[in-house]
Amino acid sequence: MAKINQHYRQLKDSYLFSDIARRVAAFSQAHPEKEIIRMGIGDVTLPLMPSVISSLHSAVEEMADASTFRGYGPEQGYGFLRDAIRAYYVRFGVQLDPDEIFVSDGAKSDLGNITDLFSADNTVLIPDPVYPVYVDTNLMNGRKILYMNANAENGFLPMPDPEVRADLIYLCSPNNPTGAVYTREQLAAWIDYALAQDAVLLFDAAYEAFIGDSSLPHSIFELPDAKRCAIEFCSLSKTAGFTGTRCGYTIIPKTLKIEGMSPNRMWNRRQATKFNGVPYIIQRGAEAAFSEEGVRQSQEMIAYYKKNTAVMAETLERCGVHFFGGVHSPYLWMECPDRMDSWTFFDYLLENAAIVGTPGAGFGINGEGYFRLTGFGSQPKTMEAMQRISSLLKGAN
């Protein structure tokens, strides 16, 4: 008789974004006349950049010619893309070996799969509120999870407590969902903590391209000693609009050692066993995103979304609503008005303004009373949404 993994009993029956989708579908069916504006899930709306499209077309043509056709590629990623990523990191003063870069189908996959390398009896330290993948993947493996409070008092940037013992530590900067960004000094304190604990920092840098202040680190490897204790995850989803194209990468330094073993070699072995690599066509498109022209075009795309967040921020300020993020992030993390809980505000906003956001409670206990709005929509729809919100909130006061 087959038996299930008992750790799945700890998981909620539904996932945050699945719950949202069900409620929105029910509202849409009941009110087909209303145009819903979606500011919830962090999906981009602009098309792929011209440089990427051109490279994708060229790669398709290669696949149509027997002399340039490609079959199975290296599980770790083609050399041309790993070299392009390595050159991108030089912009931040970070030197990487190509063999430290592993191309994937997105940061979400690797953030979940990296747990294959670690024993189930490791203790995991996770901030709250948090991207749900960090929590759920470790619950699936039966690990003990400790939570650190991220809240308004610490700017949603919790710092290490030397009295707390942990083996694996998740950090995300710029943060999803709050938009908060760690400074160099703050990350240095986390690196010191990890080294003192013999812990591994799992650093999610999926939103690094939104950072507009040169004093803030794009990569944890900008900090001394980070290569001794950290693994970094990044994605082209938000940087270059690859949400539907799927490409990301994980950096595992060769200098990182755990119990005398190399996670770099372990991950290489894991990927060779369980992963057949990202399609050649997609990797050629990703290579173009790291070119000089590609970076310029991606920054234009990001500037478009940041203009949306500026409109959102201006509206919330005018309405007297306190919020975090929106400067180096596509997300605004707003306080729910009139002390509503986050799901109540979700329903209120949907019913009265036909706008979809993300309830903070879905990101953890400390997310209760907050609400995430995304700047990834079109500018006309974002402006219309904020006009609706402004009218709604003013009418409620």
Side-chain angles (χ1 to χ4, degrees):
M1 177 179 174
K3 295 182 180 180
I4 66 166
N5 179 343
Q6 293 298 317
H7 300 304
Y8 275 70
R9 297 187 186 279
Q10 301 178 63
L11 298 172
K12 296 178 180 178
D13 289 336
S14 57
Y15 185 58
L16 168 63
F17 297 106
S18 299
D19 283 346
I20 291 173
R22 279 194 292 272
R23 294 191 188 210
V24 174
F27 176 82
S28 180
Q29 186 174 7
H31 303 281
E33 77 286 358
K34 293 190 177 181
E35 181 187 13
I36 299 172
I37 299 179
R38 300 172 187 271
M39 305 180 75
I41 190 170
D43 196 2
V44 297
T45 52
L46 292 177
L48 291 170
M49 303 175 295
S51 60
V52 171
I53 290 295
S54 177
S55 188
L56 290 173
H57 280 303
S58 296
V60 168
E61 292 301 320
E62 289 183 56
M63 297 297 278
D65 188 325
S67 65
T68 52
F69 172 78
R70 308 274 184 135
Y72 288 122
E75 296 91 350
Q76 304 80 4
Y78 283 98
F80 60 79
L81 179 52
R82 298 169 95 183
D83 285 341
I85 295 170
R86 183 166 65 101
Y88 179 72
Y89 270 73
V90 171
R91 294 168 176 256
F92 313 133
V94 177
Q95 299 293 330
L96 298 173
D97 187 303
D99 290 341
E100 295 177 316
I101 302 167
F102 297 85
V103 178
S104 72
D105 62 355
K108 181 178 182 178
S109 297
D110 281 3
L111 281 161
N113 292 331
I114 198 71
T115 58
D116 284 0
L117 305 189
F118 303 104
S119 170
D121 61 8
N122 280 305
T123 297
V124 184
L125 184 60
I126 298 179
D128 180 320
V130 69
Y131 183 41
V133 172
Y134 307 165
V135 175
D136 290 353
T137 53
N138 281 288
L139 286 177
M140 291 173 186
N141 286 301
R143 291 189 183 88
K144 177 183 178 181
I145 298 177
L146 302 177
Y147 294 96
M148 46 184 165
N149 290 321
N151 50 44
E153 286 69 33
N154 57 29
F156 289 96
L157 294 168
M159 296 301 293
D161 180 350
E163 300 300 317
V164 175
R165 179 76 182 89
D167 304 300
L168 302 174
I169 305 159
Y170 285 81
L171 295 179
C172 179
S173 179
N175 185 266
N176 178 15
T178 68
V181 188
Y182 277 111
T183 65
R184 293 179 185 275
E185 293 74 20
Q186 289 171 321
L187 284 184
W190 274 111
I191 291 168
D192 290 343
Y193 172 79
L195 290 171
Q197 300 269 353
D198 288 325
V200 177
L201 278 169
L202 302 175
F203 189 76
D204 185 350
Y207 299 91
E208 61 82 15
F210 281 80
I211 295 174
D213 183 342
S214 60
S215 70
L216 297 172
H218 288 252
S219 167
I220 198 166
F221 298 124
E222 295 179 46
L223 280 295
D225 293 324
K227 288 185 178 181
R228 295 170 51 207
C229 64
I231 295 173
E232 182 162 293
F233 306 84
C234 207
S235 168
L236 276 76
S237 289
K238 309 309 191 293
T239 301
F242 273 53
T243 52
T245 316
R246 307 310 306 147
C247 193
Y249 54 92
T250 292
I251 297 169
I252 307 182
K254 293 180 179 179
T255 48
L256 175 62
K257 305 293 181 183
I258 303 174
E259 295 183 318
M261 294 188 68
S262 168
N264 178 284
R265 295 181 63 183
M266 293 165 64
W267 185 247
N268 186 66
R269 183 68 174 85
R270 188 266 176 206
Q271 293 297 81
T273 301
K274 291 188 174 185
F275 186 55
N276 263 343
V278 175
Y280 171 74
I281 295 170
I282 301 301
Q283 292 195 52
R284 279 298 186 190
E287 178 193 25
F290 287 107
S291 68
E292 184 175 343
E293 181 65 9
V295 171
R296 184 188 67 78
Q297 290 174 0
S298 69
Q299 284 300 309
E300 289 177 352
M301 180 185 297
I302 288 169
Y304 178 96
Y305 294 133
K306 291 176 82 169
K307 185 175 180 180
N308 283 345
T309 60
V311 170
M312 293 156 59
E314 181 183 352
T315 302
L316 294 181
E317 287 173 352
R318 195 166 58 245
C319 293
V321 176
H322 188 58
F323 63 90
F324 294 83
V327 178
H328 305 292
S329 164
Y331 300 125
L332 266 70
W333 183 245
M334 60 175 284
E335 291 183 356
C336 296
D338 299 328
R339 298 186 178 276
M340 292 187 206
D341 67 67
S342 58
W343 277 108
T344 297
F345 184 61
F346 173 90
D347 291 332
Y348 177 76
L349 197 60
L350 181 60
E351 291 289 339
N352 294 281
I355 293 172
V356 178
T358 310
F363 298 103
I365 293 174
N366 288 326
E368 185 56 88
Y370 287 88
F371 201 76
R372 194 189 76 176
L373 294 174
T374 172
F376 282 126
S378 71
Q379 287 181 359
K381 291 301 180 186
T382 298
M383 293 182 69
E384 181 180 344
M386 299 319 292
Q387 289 171 358
R388 293 185 192 179
I389 288 176
S390 179
S391 298
L392 180 64
L393 296 185
K394 286 180 179 178
N397 290 335

